[in-house]
Amino acid sequence: MCGIIGIIGTHDAAPRLVEGLRRLEYRGYDSAGVATLVKGGIERRRAEGKLLNLDAKLREAPLPGVIGIGHTRWATHGGPTENNAHPHATHRVAVVHNGIIENYQELKAELIEHGYVFESATDTEVIAHLVTYYMEKEGLGPVEAAAASFKRFTGAFSLVLLFSGQEDMLIGARHGTPLAVGYGEGEMYFASDAFALAPLTNRICYLEDGDWVELTRSAAVIHDASDAVVERPVKTTALSGALIGKDGYRHYMLKEIYEQPQVIGDTLNAYINPETGRVTLPETSFDIAKATKLTIVACGTAYYAGVVAKYWFETLARLPVEVDIASEFRYREAPMPEGGVALFISQSGETLDTLEALRYCKRQGQKILSIVNVPESTIARESDAVLYTMAGPEIGVASTKAFTTQLTTLACLAVTVGHARGVIPAERMQQIAQALREVPARAADVLAHDERLHELAQEVAEARDVLYLGRGAMYPLALEGALKLKEISYIHAEGYAAGELKHGPIALIDENVPVIVLVPSDGLFEKTVSNVQEVCARSGKVLLIADKKGIDKLSDKVRWSLELPACDPLVAPLLYAIPVQLLAYHVAVLKGTDVDQPRNLAKSVTVE
Ligand code: F6R
């Protein structure tokens, strides 16, 4: 969740550390800090809140030094105060850390007995004191002290250490959360991801779990978990050095919503052959169509994409599907069938719960398939086969274009598997491929309703509670709509399967609760219409999103309606995602929240 960076450079490190942190800020933004060596001694600047507070501090009191480390925090242990901000330091060593040191309380007690005084409420501070202990009390050099300390920590973490008096050395370690090494010209770097290093270098080495590294200006000596020196490949990334801008949009989220016609098209280009019009997936080392069962695991919005996919795989491929949220699945000790395939969906490719669920499934002999947006992410690297979503960097914390490109990829997969299993004939496959190819143009039509959704937002912004309803593949869309609204506008919202309403939630209906109903004309149309009528009969304030058929049938009964283009029901989730995203966005703007960096959240969730 936190972002970490280290530079052994040839000129002032602090401004470049802050630039790197800006690109990592999506990982956490409740406090930030940097440390450099000034005349051999560790000096720090730290600030509570967003990175601009640290920037202002550095402008008031610049920090010289060509070697340094930086951190942007998402608090786990200890509130988001300046005192708890990283780097944490003793007079010998400073540390930036992502993850959790689970045994920090035992270590802290031990270090207090040795006379060390703690200043923060964090788990991280034990790292600085333990390394210092090994140097001061056991007489070890920095490398040996670091190696000895790494063996004492439990939990998932990555970290970078800066030592006083060591102008040409940083030590980094990766243990369950990501860390990459960047190779520059006469300079070397560490960072949580290649994106942070893009302005500095595109030559990146992704460390393996358990690796730790002695970094100097000219080399990286990489050790594995048993301390043996190992070689890891250095890859050239395609990431651009240019700072990803907002292109004139007020927020990244809005820009990313508007990018959807383009990135859905890019994803389709990867999976539909333009000449034959057929869905053509890359070769995999195992045959997904022969799976006895498909287990889909993910978190948050990616999980909702998985729930939509369950409907697709079951109807198009007659493949039994189980779908679960990773934090529940990973501890359930679920029995896994022989010949099963497990599918993991993740924008970042780093979500710890999803990754651990993947590892569990691997141990259970499942073939591992993943759908991720970030190439070289841990989930991608640990999978037997990967399908990439072509969303490009998603900076807004609320997932938008990653979701619709996940759906695009899942639709292509479900259709391919359905055809290979003999469930859908070639003509239906071709028909769906055609419907998918029309999605970018239809998505652009949906975006044209932005102004109407802005008007609706004024009504929703007044509400205390909002309900979203849908049936079939619209049920997960209802869940996603509610998640989008609550995470960025802080309004309480719930998604329900429309047919479930009468089993309890209907008690909430009154004239003050907006009920947003998603009703495409699919096989469940009449059923959902009945549910809408049940809400209307109880003076519910229905806000209808439907195509012409639904509008004709219901628009005179409901408070407000929006007509979306008619489409093959299979692709409807891709189109209905857009109005729920835009509605949440406009409500959040009206409420004056921080749309791109909503409170308490972070983009990449690498703690459990
Ligand atoms: C919500 C959102 C989160 C993520 C979830 C999984 O808008 O973005 O719910 O979908 O944290 O993240 P990834 O896809 O990176 O595994």
Side-chain angles (χ1 to χ4, degrees), residues 403-468:
F403 178 63
T404 45
T405 53
Q406 285 160 355
L407 291 178
T408 307
T409 309
L410 286 160
C412 291
L413 183 64
V415 167
T416 312
V417 173
H419 182 55
R421 287 168 69 89
V423 181
I424 51 168
E427 306 78 73
R428 176 68 182 135
M429 185 184 183
Q430 205 74 11
Q431 208 180 33
I432 296 173
Q434 184 51 33
L436 283 166
R437 289 169 74 176
E438 286 169 15
V439 168
R442 295 290 85 77
D445 296 341
V446 176
L447 287 168
H449 293 298
D450 195 2
E451 196 38 50
R452 269 208 33 83
L453 287 155
H454 182 232
E455 285 160 22
L456 174 65
Q458 313 196 0
E459 190 150 341
V460 174
E462 310 275 288
R464 201 192 61 179
D465 309 286
V466 179
L467 296 180
Y468 287 76

Side-chain angles (χ1 to χ4, degrees), residues 268-288:
L268 289 170
N269 284 342
Y271 300 125
I272 297 185
N273 182 324
E275 274 154 32
T276 61
R278 284 175 69 100
V279 181
T280 317
L281 297 183
E283 290 272 310
T284 49
S285 60
F286 58 96
D287 190 352
I288 305 158

Side-chain angles (χ1 to χ4, degrees), residues 40-58:
I42 294 165
E43 287 217 13
R44 292 183 287 172
R45 302 283 181 274
R46 299 180 296 166
E48 194 176 319
K50 297 276 171 68
L51 197 54
L52 42 96
N53 298 349
L54 176 67
D55 220 9
K57 267 204 170 160
L58 280 162

